[in-house]
Amino acid sequence: MTNWRFVGGLLVAAAIGTLVAAQQPATGGWAPPKTPWGDPDLQGVWRYEASVPLERPAQFAGRASLTDEEVARNQKLEDEQAAQRLAGAEGAAVGRRSVGESPIRGNEYNSFWQDHGRPRQVYKQTSLVVDPADGRIPYTPDAKKADARASARYGAGPYESFLDPDTGERCLTDGVTALMWQGPNGGHNRIVQSQGYVTILHEEYLDRRIIPVDGRQASGIRQWFGNAVARWEGSTLVVETANFVDRTNYEWATIFMRPSETLRLVERFTRTGATTMDYRITVEDPATFARAWTAQIPITRLPDETLIYEYACHEGNYAMPNLLAGGRIDAAKRQR
Amino acid sequence: MRTHHATLLLGALAAIVWCTTGTSAHHAFAAEFDSTKPIKLRGTVVKMEWINPHTWLHLDVKRPDGKTERWMIEGGPPNALYRRGFSQKSLPVGAELVVEGFRAKDGSLKGNGRELTFADGRRLFVGSSGTGAPRDGKD
């Protein structure tokens, strides 16, 4: 009887092992370099360089992947854009894009936010969200309303006070959740390791996370970025973050970024090649989501010479007075 | 032929959807600038402020009555412009240029830059501002 229990235990362990293995990114046998103290070396400037939508568009409902023909079409589009960039006579003129290529909410102007002169990568994924299977963020009904409200007021206000612009417009932060793949300047992130720590410097707002990897427990002090602790699982860095402050009462450009006291993030960083990383984030927060969701994001290591630039967002920033001045004009028009 | 057009349209729509990466952004165009007030200014560069999250170009514009107005034009974020090849030398002080864009809602001498044209005809895209900038074919 004891033997059967043992065999049963082995089978369960094997099944769990298979499940875990199925969730591991394929590295094709490639082993990452090691730091002098023996940890996998994730250092460098990393950036999300594709244009896969976060949530699956309706036209791809039921499909997790594009067909080969669709991939080829997108590759052709990217190649044409790259050629246009190369054909530009003056640096900043390079990379102007078509209306159809507009990356943001039907707003064609914003393409440069996503562009720093490098070609974008084409992937088969139809959405970054891979769980739930429909590729959509599982908002609670209340959060869905809050998200619709945030979308409606984005760029439209009302702007009655400095509290009305969203956290990004206020130069505060766009939150931890999207830090590794978003950012108007292309989401540049420099990862630096020292013994017992991994530090991630996000260019926009110079958001930074100093994450202990030394076995300690997370601190109980609540912060905007929560308390993160990390561990290695093979070559994967697993970062768990909790103890966020509640900032659900702030205006956020997109609701999925907002922290609450019940937000919990689990991130998995796995290098899959010299310039590729499989980054996955599982987001759990009953204050906003009906269930946990996971996004799988391919990110790219940029050339060694890539720099993270200064990003003081407040000094000399004319945007806030301009926003409020525009708000007064809009309010006067409404009164008339 | 109709099928061909339909295919093209579907392809274009797919491309739009494909490229719609959900992202946060910055100061929205519609909040600060008036898309019904396009401006075209001929002036000389006074200075370029390389500040986040938007650059600001200052230029002196001569009015028909001979008086000079000093305008401020908002451009893209310095880091993004720099990575795309825009440098300190791109807009030397004193350079003559034409700026196209949209005027601030409050009617002040501020605008949102869309494109610059130098005296020799070279054009430079400055990035304009956020959500709501009108589609005018220059994007």
Side-chain angles (χ1 to χ4, degrees):
Chain A
M1 197 64 184
T2 308
N3 281 346
W4 282 114
R5 275 189 191 151
F6 176 69
V7 171
L10 278 182
L11 285 172
V12 169
I16 291 171
T18 307
L19 279 174
V20 170
Q23 291 172 354
Q24 296 299 320
T27 58
W30 185 85
K34 297 280 177 111
T35 62
W37 55 94
D39 285 341
D41 192 337
L42 308 181
Q43 297 179 97
V45 175
W46 296 85
R47 181 175 186 258
Y48 170 62
E49 296 206 298
S51 53
V52 181
L54 176 63
E55 293 187 272
R56 187 168 305 152
Q59 73 177 98
F60 298 122
R63 295 170 52 198
S65 299
L66 299 176
T67 63
D68 290 343
E69 289 74 27
E70 287 165 336
V71 168
R73 189 187 61 217
N74 288 334
Q75 187 63 61
K76 186 166 176 282
L77 184 71
E78 294 302 337
D79 290 346
E80 285 169 2
Q81 294 301 328
Q84 282 183 25
R85 278 194 288 271
L86 288 171
E90 181 74 23
V94 179
R96 186 190 308 162
R97 298 182 167 193
S98 66
V99 170
E101 253 232 318
S102 171
I104 300 176
R105 296 181 184 179
N107 165 34
E108 62 284 0
Y109 122 88
N110 256 330
S111 64
F112 66 89
W113 289 120
Q114 302 290 316
D115 190 330
H116 66 305
R118 286 169 52 85
R120 292 191 299 182
Q121 312 291 321
V122 172
Y123 292 92
K124 292 195 83 166
Q125 286 174 248
T126 53
S127 59
L128 295 178
V129 173
V130 292
D131 179 41
D134 66 0
R136 309 288 301 178
I137 295 176
Y139 288 116
T140 62
D142 281 349
K144 201 168 272 182
K145 283 182 204 157
D147 195 48
R149 177 186 168 276
S151 285
R153 72 189 306 286
Y154 184 81
Y159 296 107
E160 302 292 337
S161 103
F162 71 95
L163 296 168
D164 286 329
D166 68 63
T167 55
E169 290 173 318
R170 292 175 61 191
C171 292
L172 294 172
T173 180
D174 280 325
V176 175
T177 304
L179 217 54
M180 290 305 294
W181 82 89
Q182 277 199 162
N185 291 335
H188 292 76
N189 289 283
R190 177 177 288 285
I191 298 180
V192 177
Q193 289 169 254
S194 55
Q195 206 157 357
Y197 289 92
V198 173
T199 300
I200 304 174
L201 177 63
H202 181 71
E203 183 173 85
E204 196 189 7
Y205 320 116
L206 290 181
D207 282 341
R208 76 214 71 180
R209 305 168 70 195
I210 301 171
I211 305 165
V213 199
D214 56 6
R216 78 176 69 173
Q217 297 294 306
S219 143
I221 301 170
R222 294 191 180 278
Q223 301 181 74
W224 274 78
F225 279 15
N227 294 136
V229 289
R231 63 180 185 277
W232 293 101
E233 288 184 4
S235 294
T236 299
L237 179 73
V238 181
V239 181
E240 297 197 15
T241 311
N243 287 325
F244 290 89
V245 288
D246 188 316
R247 290 289 179 263
T248 53
N249 59 331
Y250 281 53
E251 300 294 348
W252 293 83
T254 313
I255 293 301
F256 77 82
M257 305 166 168
R258 69 184 190 183
S260 85
E261 291 194 356
T262 46
L263 175 63
R264 184 170 173 271
L265 305 175
V266 180
E267 299 161 271
R268 305 178 72 86
F269 299 75
T270 310
R271 282 187 76 169
T272 53
T275 59
T276 54
M277 173 133 47
D278 180 296
Y279 171 76
R280 299 182 191 195
I281 182 166
T282 298
V283 184
E284 185 183 335
D285 186 359
T288 306
F289 312 110
R291 54 161 285 193
W293 55 278
T294 298
Q296 180 180 346
I297 297 122
I299 55 176
T300 305
R301 188 177 189 277
L302 303 186
D304 285 341
E305 61 271 23
T306 306
L307 298 174
I308 294 284
Y309 296 121
E310 183 272 343
Y311 201 91
C313 194
H314 286 288
E315 291 85 346
N317 183 347
Y318 300 106
M320 184 62 81
N322 289 351
L323 273 174
L324 295 176
R328 301 288 66 70
I329 300 298
D330 287 340
K333 277 182 187 165
R334 281 197 298 273
Q335 278 178 359
R336 281 201 297 272
Chain B
M1 198 62 182
R2 182 178 289 175
T3 309
H4 181 62
H5 282 152
T7 308
L8 280 178
L9 180 63
L10 281 174
L13 286 172
I16 291 169
V17 170
W18 170 250
C19 296
T20 306
T21 307
T23 188
S24 67
H26 260 267
H27 313 106
F29 175 94
E32 295 181 44
F33 304 100
D34 189 339
S35 62
T36 66
K37 289 182 186 162
I39 49 174
K40 187 169 184 176
L41 306 168
R42 181 180 297 276
T44 54
V45 175
V46 176
K47 67 173 175 178
M48 175 82 164
E49 288 190 277
W50 286 85
I51 53 178
N52 282 298
H54 289 280
T55 51
W56 284 86
L57 168 67
H58 298 240
L59 73 163
D60 279 346
V61 177
K62 229 173 209 168
R63 298 193 329 190
D65 63 7
K67 289 182 180 165
T68 300
E69 290 178 336
R70 184 156 295 180
W71 280 75
M72 289 172 65
I73 301 296
E74 184 190 65
N79 298 357
L81 290 185
Y82 186 73
R83 286 195 174 103
R84 287 174 60 162
F86 210 114
S87 77
Q88 207 171 9
K89 295 176 187 166
S90 298
L91 290 175
V93 171
E96 281 187 39
L97 40 79
V98 174
V99 177
E100 291 170 74
F102 299 90
R103 191 163 186 172
K105 269 184 177 174
D106 66 359
S108 59
L109 300 182
K110 290 177 192 161
N112 179 259
R114 193 77 157 182
E115 196 161 65
L116 306 177
T117 308
F118 290 98
D120 63 5
R122 282 180 305 127
R123 296 169 83 84
L124 196 60
F125 180 60
V126 286
S128 190
S129 187
T131 305
R135 290 182 173 175
D136 61 0
K138 291 178 179 174
D139 28 82

